[in-house]
Amino acid sequence: EESAAGALDAIVMFGDFVYQDGGVGKKNHENAWMRDVSRFAGNGSVPIMVSPGNADFTHDTDRGPGFYRYSTQFAMPGWETTDSLWHSFDIGPAHIVGINTELIEWGVPLPEKLDEMKAWLHDDLKAAAANRANVPWIFVHYHRPSYSTGNTDDIPYKQFGPLMYKYG
């Protein structure tokens, strides 16, 4: 109702959208989710901005490891150069940054993508910090928790925390 009424500017979500096996053992799971999400996104009138999760990654036997289905389902700002694996945009007084924390997890052998994203994130946060007079808020979203006693061992915080503190 809020999206239909124009009360939402955007929807930001954090990974596990494109299950490589169709999801939960059902081939139509992904299609049903995309159909349902289009309703709460005002049938396309409200942008949905996403960052990938672990279920969006696959070891494709023909193409190798990657986020193939995720990248074809979602076109984030800058998708032409980043495959929608990271992005940023301004909306009102906020600069929104989406990064891919799966690139720092075990089992995702894409070090060149991680290096590319880190360099991009540094430049993006530096530019956003310099633009604080116009866009004062900076938000960074991603799938894995920054702090955890579980299986991530605070890896996102250790990898990205210093950069976020420097410019955030």
Side-chain angles (χ1 to χ4, degrees):
E1 292 175 13
E2 286 90 358
S3 62
L8 300 177
D9 293 320
I11 297 169
V12 178
M13 301 175 79
F14 317 114
D16 287 354
F17 309 108
V18 183
Y19 284 81
Q20 299 304 319
D21 66 354
V24 197
K26 299 176 183 173
K27 292 290 184 189
N28 292 323
H29 183 272
E30 178 185 321
N31 290 335
W33 185 86
M34 295 295 275
R35 184 179 53 250
D36 291 345
V37 80
S38 72
R39 281 185 237 147
F40 72 76
N43 287 316
S45 64
V46 177
I48 298 175
M49 309 310 280
V50 298
S51 55
N54 54 301
D56 303 313
F57 176 78
T58 187
H59 287 276
D60 188 284
T61 54
D62 296 326
R63 296 178 285 184
F67 295 85
Y68 306 111
R69 289 180 67 196
Y70 168 89
S71 294
T72 60
Q73 291 285 349
F74 300 104
M76 299 296 100
W79 66 269
E80 304 91 342
T81 58
T82 68
D83 292 328
S84 296
L85 298 180
W86 56 87
H87 64 274
S88 68
F89 63 99
D90 292 342
I91 190 164
H95 181 72
I96 311 293
V97 181
I99 60 173
N100 184 347
T101 52
E102 298 316 301
L103 294 174
I104 59 174
E105 292 297 323
W106 58 268
V108 181
L110 300 169
E112 71 286 350
K113 288 284 189 189
L114 177 58
D115 292 343
E116 185 181 338
M117 182 182 71
K118 282 181 168 180
W120 172 89
L121 181 61
H122 175 271
D123 294 346
D124 186 79
L125 290 177
K126 183 177 180 181
N131 192 33
R132 279 257 164 101
N134 298 312
V135 184
W137 293 92
I138 301 173
F139 295 93
V140 180
H141 68 91
Y142 43 89
H143 182 64
R144 298 284 177 165
S146 291
Y147 305 98
S148 174
T149 57
N151 66 349
T152 62
D153 194 29
D154 300 340
I155 295 171
Y157 170 74
K158 292 172 184 171
Q159 287 278 334
F160 304 113
L163 191 57
M164 290 182 201
Y165 281 111
K166 181 175 181 178
Y167 295 114

